[in-house]
Amino acid sequence: TLVETSRQSSRGAGFREILDDWIEGHFRVREPEATKWEGTAFQLHKAILLSDPAVESAMRNYPVDMVSVNLMTIHQKGFKGLECASRGDKRIWTIHKLAQEKKD
């Protein structure tokens, strides 16, 4: 219970909720045949904003640099289905469909 309370009140908890919602909508509604999403933090930021106009106010606290920081934090905490790779000077994130099915 303490670990869960700590996780829910952590700095990245709000973004994690936004990401969980986006992942569910992406793989269940918008791209049900997709097995993964891949792109930069900016591309994810844009995808989240374009997925639902109602999310714009929630994303105000998460400009691109904060999306990147929060992705790294979530990744380091062992979020299943999230990978990070460097391609030249870009950090590319991969979110596998299983992230929607097996959230930690």
Side-chain angles (χ1 to χ4, degrees), residues 68-104:
S68 183
V69 166
N70 280 286
L71 283 170
M72 186 55 73
T73 300
I74 291 167
H75 177 64
Q76 290 172 342
K77 288 183 177 182
F79 185 85
K80 293 173 180 45
L82 180 63
E83 296 176 359
C84 181
S86 292
R87 293 195 189 142
D89 61 346
K90 292 182 182 178
R91 184 179 291 157
I92 304 296
W93 293 96
T94 303
I95 301 171
H96 294 275
K97 187 172 188 170
L98 68 90
Q100 180 265 324
E101 299 163 352
K102 299 180 181 178
K103 295 177 215 153
D104 61 330

Side-chain angles (χ1 to χ4, degrees), residues 3 11 24 46 51 57 59-60 66 77-78 82 94:
V3 171
R11 221 175 114 181
E24 185 171 340
K46 187 169 56 171
S51 69
S57 63
M59 285 297 288
R60 282 192 189 123
M66 288 307 297
K77 288 183 177 182
L82 180 63
T94 303

Side-chain angles (χ1 to χ4, degrees), residues 19-40:
L19 182 61
D20 286 344
D21 185 70
W22 180 82
I23 288 170
E24 185 171 340
H26 180 75
F27 290 115
R28 287 198 179 170
V29 178
R30 292 181 297 279
E31 297 287 337
E33 300 300 317
T35 59
K36 67 182 179 179
W37 177 91
E38 190 173 82
T40 64

